[in-house]
Amino acid sequence: MKSIGTIIRETRESANITLQELGDGLCTFQTLSRMERDERDVDKFLFDVLVERLGRNPDRLECVLSKQQYERIAYYDEAEEGIVEGNSNKALRGMRNFRKRRDEEGLLDDMLYYRMKGFYWLERKRKPRRALGYFEQALRIIMPNLTLQPGNLYSTWELETFMGYAKTRFALGEKEEAIVGLFACYEFAKKWEDAELRARIQPKCAYYIALWKAGSLEQRISLCEEAVELLRRSSVSYLLEPLLAELSILYQETANRDGLNRVRYFREPLAEEIKEYAPKRLQDAMVFRWKQCDYHIDYELIRGERIRQGMTQEDLAEDIYKSPISISNIECGKAAPNRRGFGKIMEKLGVNRGRIATFVAVNSFTELERLWEIRKEVGLGNHQKALQLLESSDFDAKEQVMLYRFLIDFKEGKTDGETYIKEIEDMLKETYSLGGKKFCRTPFQWEMDAIITWGGMMEDKNVTRVLEVLRNINREYSKSERDEKHCYRIYSELLAREITCLAMEHEGKQLKRFVQQAERYEFVCGKGGGLSGICCGRIRQMNRNLDQITKDAYKGMVFAELFYDRSVEEKQAYYVYYERRQHSAEV
């Protein structure tokens, strides 16, 4: 398997991009060269911006961060959440702590800090003139002329900052310049092949273009429709309700009754859930970035793996450090191993992970993106398409490919799962054994995929055991310093499977608590892919009357179509379920 530095270098060279062009305004080409040769650790913010400048999605990668790196991300998110939630103290505290932990090279950190200050004064305090100065300070680091240059490379972070600058100018009466800036951001984002990258920029541009009544009526409708589809395909709930509201107004102006009914069908249940579970959050803030990342903290990973393997600190320190005190300090978060020390520790523990890595063995971003496409098709139930993609590709990620084949065979009824259950248990035995009573760390993404696949096959046979495994994993998350929103892909799968198992076990009180937790979690992360399953979980709670069951069944149907475009036959299954409940003695 190639290192992440090698993958980035090959991606850059295939696009004919020089080191100077990639690092323009952010870092020296020497820094980039050392990163590509895997000779230095790179700040996570810098890494994300560089990868996005290459048109790739850094959220596809799984990261092991030092405590100091993670704290910087957590403080940035705290400031962002304070702005979105209308909590000035939280926003200012996050900005202050982020500034104290400024990276040694600093240019990107300066941009991020001034960007946050700009959004704070614009979207929280509503003082655009104060915000303008901060946005200009942020932008002059990467674009001295304060204009997007056609030949330059930009990330979503930089484009969002420029959009905040445009919104500020609009508020100050410079409407024409602001509209031109938004259209420029929209056109730049269209160049990206990755739909999730486009979904961070184009919907925000489309919403404000419609809100400001820029362009023709037909153009605004087209932009909003495209933006809604982007968010739907990316399972993003954030900004979706305001966009649907704008689209509703546009359809009224054009007397498009069918379009208006369609929008209302999606919008009303979504608005109702937002009102209940995220009432204080701004739903149209440019600063908000929905979460789809998986982070691990190095000292938690090292400590957990050492304990799992039955090693002492002395055993682990041997041939790496002079004293086990070094390992003790690392495991307590008091010290962070450098790149070389971290590599030696991982090698001794038998964990093939760099600081920033793919969660499976791949040799290019293209290969990684293909695996994600397969994963998505499997999740949507498009098994034939997933099989075609599997058969047309040659992956190094043998275990991941095997899991997808197991899951497709099981869902299509080609096996009862008994053989596959044993094979998955054997696959996990060396890294995340399901045979023990407890775990020592949270799982990697591929391990969680294996556990979810195993759970789906096991739950009809022994749901109690599946629930015990899931609860043990959840306990590891509760002990972690990491916030659950920084491991969305893994934790959302965990919650969804727990809800299913609790419903099967008829554990009413716990089911209610998990359903509420899962719904808040979706909106905190700005996602919506789990809403349909959450509504199904609410249906199976005890002591609910027929009207509540019917309403939740309807919402589950709407969200299944909104985020997954489920077929009519699948949607009818919701009706069949609650029609049976209508005539049952239980109701």
Side-chain angles (χ1 to χ4, degrees):
M1 183 179 75
K2 295 178 182 176
S3 70
I4 193 65
T6 301
I7 292 174
I8 289 174
R9 177 177 57 77
E10 291 179 353
T11 304
R12 176 182 61 77
E13 289 175 348
S14 67
N16 294 319
I17 296 170
T18 66
L19 288 167
Q20 289 88 342
E21 289 170 334
L22 182 57
D24 184 36
L26 298 176
C27 61
T28 64
F29 75 89
Q30 290 95 337
T31 297
L32 278 179
S33 179
R34 290 184 64 201
M35 183 190 77
E36 290 184 349
R37 296 197 304 269
D38 297 300
E39 292 179 356
R40 61 158 290 165
D41 285 335
V42 180
D43 173 72
K44 182 61 171 65
F45 284 111
L46 177 59
F47 178 84
D48 284 1
V49 170
L50 294 174
V51 169
E52 287 188 0
R53 282 186 171 191
L54 291 170
R56 305 295 182 171
N57 189 349
D59 284 345
R60 307 264 191 235
L61 303 166
E62 199 166 11
C63 302
V64 181
L65 306 173
S66 68
K67 182 179 180 180
Q68 293 78 8
Q69 283 262 21
Y70 178 74
E71 284 177 344
R72 295 176 67 246
I73 292 172
Y75 287 136
Y76 182 91
D77 281 355
E78 182 182 23
E80 178 188 276
E81 287 172 7
I83 295 169
V84 174
E85 295 168 1
N87 187 332
S88 292
N89 290 335
K90 186 175 183 179
L92 292 171
R93 182 174 63 246
M95 284 187 276
R96 184 169 58 249
N97 287 326
F98 179 81
R99 189 62 168 168
K100 285 179 182 177
R101 287 156 180 80
R102 181 179 182 272
D103 185 66
E104 58 184 17
E105 294 196 357
L107 287 174
L108 180 58
D109 274 18
D110 289 341
M111 189 205 83
L112 293 173
Y113 174 73
Y114 293 130
R115 159 199 162 100
M116 276 192 290
K117 294 285 281 187
F119 278 120
Y120 172 77
W121 287 104
L122 175 66
E123 298 190 317
R124 173 70 189 104
K125 291 296 188 180
R126 308 291 181 183
K127 293 185 178 180
R129 193 158 299 282
R130 187 86 179 264
L132 184 65
Y134 287 115
F135 280 124
E136 287 179 346
Q137 281 181 281
L139 289 172
R140 288 193 190 283
I141 294 169
I142 52 172
M143 49 182 84
N145 296 326
L146 299 180
T147 55
L148 292 175
Q149 301 298 321
N152 286 13
L153 302 173
Y154 300 108
S155 65
T156 61
W157 296 86
E158 294 158 296
L159 290 182
E160 282 172 346
T161 306
F162 190 82
M163 289 156 57
Y165 175 63
K167 184 179 177 181
T168 304
R169 295 183 72 180
F170 187 90
L172 293 172
E174 300 176 28
K175 298 184 178 180
E176 189 172 328
E177 295 85 349
I179 291 167
V180 168
L182 277 193
F183 272 110
C185 288
Y186 188 92
E187 290 301 317
F188 190 93
K190 280 176 68 174
K191 301 175 185 177
W192 291 324
E193 293 181 11
D194 192 288
E196 289 180 0
L197 278 187
R198 297 201 307 276
R200 290 197 181 277
I201 299 299
Q202 287 182 301
K204 292 177 182 178
C205 292
Y207 172 71
Y208 280 99
I209 286 169
L211 192 66
W212 297 345
K213 295 180 168 42
S216 66
L217 186 61
E218 293 75 15
Q219 188 178 26
R220 296 200 298 273
I221 291 173
S222 176
L223 290 176
C224 286
E225 287 176 340
E226 186 179 348
V228 167
E229 285 305 302
L230 262 179
L231 294 178
R232 288 180 65 192
R233 296 295 169 260
S234 301
S235 297
V236 175
S237 63
Y238 193 80
L239 195 69
L240 187 53
E241 193 277 330
L243 261 172
L244 290 171
E246 282 301 313
L247 201 50
S248 178
I249 294 169
L250 294 170
Y251 284 152
Q252 284 179 334
E253 291 180 21
T254 55
N256 184 343
R257 185 168 295 179
D258 290 341
L260 187 60
N261 289 336
R262 181 77 170 164
V263 166
R264 284 174 177 166
Y265 170 73
F266 287 138
R267 185 190 170 205
E268 288 175 2
L270 183 61
E272 195 171 317
E273 294 299 291
I274 290 171
K275 185 177 180 180
E276 183 171 357
Y277 290 99
K280 296 181 180 180
R281 294 173 69 85
L282 288 173
Q283 290 299 314
D284 61 356
M286 279 187 177
V287 69
F288 182 78
R289 294 176 64 85
W290 39 271
K291 305 295 185 289
Q292 188 162 304
C293 53
D294 285 323
Y295 298 154
H296 304 271
I297 304 178
D298 59 1
Y299 75 90
E300 293 181 347
L301 172 60
I302 292 167
R303 182 180 61 213
E305 270 301 299
R306 178 184 62 78
I307 293 171
R308 186 187 72 82
Q309 296 183 30
M311 297 173 66
T312 65
Q313 291 180 341
E314 289 80 2
D315 295 335
L316 185 55
E318 188 177 353
D319 298 326
I320 301 176
Y321 296 106
K322 294 179 179 179
S323 167
I325 293 174
S326 298
I327 296 295
S328 176
N329 288 335
I330 288 170
E331 290 186 354
C332 292
K334 294 179 180 179
N338 60 23
R339 181 191 58 81
R340 185 172 297 177
F342 181 80
K344 288 183 177 180
I345 292 171
M346 291 293 99
E347 184 179 358
K348 192 159 187 178
L349 291 171
V351 181
N352 186 17
R353 288 288 182 276
R355 285 286 192 188
I356 298 173
T358 57
F359 72 86
V360 290
V362 296
N363 287 313
S364 69
F365 273 112
T366 302
E367 192 175 333
L368 179 62
E369 287 157 0
R370 177 62 64 88
L371 271 174
W372 276 103
E373 187 179 356
I374 293 168
R375 188 173 190 266
K376 184 175 182 179
E377 296 302 335
V378 171
L380 291 172
N382 301 328
H383 299 151
Q384 290 307 310
K385 186 174 180 180
L387 282 172
Q388 288 172 5
L389 291 169
L390 280 169
E391 290 166 1
S392 64
S393 306
D394 183 23
F395 295 111
D396 282 353
K398 305 303 181 187
E399 291 170 333
Q400 195 75 15
V401 170
M402 196 183 303
L403 281 176
Y404 293 147
R405 292 190 183 279
F406 288 173
L407 190 55
I408 291 170
D409 286 351
F410 178 70
K411 287 190 172 183
E412 292 192 339
K414 295 178 181 178
T415 174
D416 64 356
E418 288 286 357
T419 303
Y420 291 163
I421 287 170
K422 181 66 168 61
E423 289 197 39
I424 293 172
E425 288 176 349
D426 289 343
M427 188 188 299
L428 288 167
K429 190 176 292 181
E430 295 302 318
T431 64
Y432 213 80
S433 175
L434 301 179
K437 292 293 184 183
K438 66 176 184 177
F439 300 108
C440 299
R441 62 168 174 84
T442 56
F444 287 117
Q445 175 72 64
W446 81 267
E447 292 167 334
M448 194 66 208
D449 281 351
I451 292 165
I452 293 299
T453 304
W454 170 85
M457 295 176 181
M458 271 288 291
E459 59 191 20
D460 287 334
K461 300 174 177 61
N462 190 346
V463 69
T464 303
R465 187 186 171 200
V466 176
L467 196 53
E468 181 185 10
V469 168
L470 298 176
R471 282 170 170 164
N472 286 338
I473 295 172
N474 216 329
R475 287 191 193 101
E476 291 305 310
Y477 276 103
S478 66
K479 292 189 290 186
S480 174
E481 185 178 327
R482 177 187 35 165
D483 193 300
E484 287 88 352
K485 66 176 177 286
H486 293 134
C487 40
Y488 173 80
R489 286 192 302 259
I490 300 176
Y491 197 70
S492 60
E493 288 181 349
L494 177 65
L495 287 177
R497 185 56 62 187
E498 281 193 271
I499 287 171
T500 300
C501 292
L502 287 168
M504 293 176 74
E505 287 281 83
H506 304 292
E507 296 197 22
K509 289 184 179 179
Q510 283 202 55
L511 178 59
K512 182 178 180 179
R513 179 170 62 84
F514 268 86
V515 163
Q516 291 174 341
Q517 179 187 352
E519 184 124 23
R520 291 192 189 95
Y521 181 69
E522 286 289 316
F523 287 121
V524 164
C525 295
K527 300 291 285 183
L531 293 179
S532 179
I534 290 166
C535 289
C536 292
R538 282 210 299 258
I539 289 171
R540 302 183 73 170
Q541 289 177 30
M542 303 298 288
N543 303 320
R544 290 175 67 79
N545 62 43
L546 180 59
D547 288 341
Q548 291 172 320
I549 292 170
T550 305
K551 191 174 184 179
D552 285 328
Y554 174 75
K555 285 182 180 179
M557 179 191 72
V558 172
F559 293 142
E561 185 173 357
L562 179 59
F563 294 110
Y564 293 110
D565 206 17
R566 291 296 194 193
S567 68
V568 172
E569 289 77 14
E570 287 169 313
K571 286 186 290 180
Q572 284 175 339
Y574 289 103
Y575 284 123
V576 170
Y577 179 80
Y578 72 72
E579 280 174 1
R580 287 176 181 168
R581 291 289 296 267
Q582 282 185 16
H583 300 99
S584 70
E586 182 181 351
V587 175

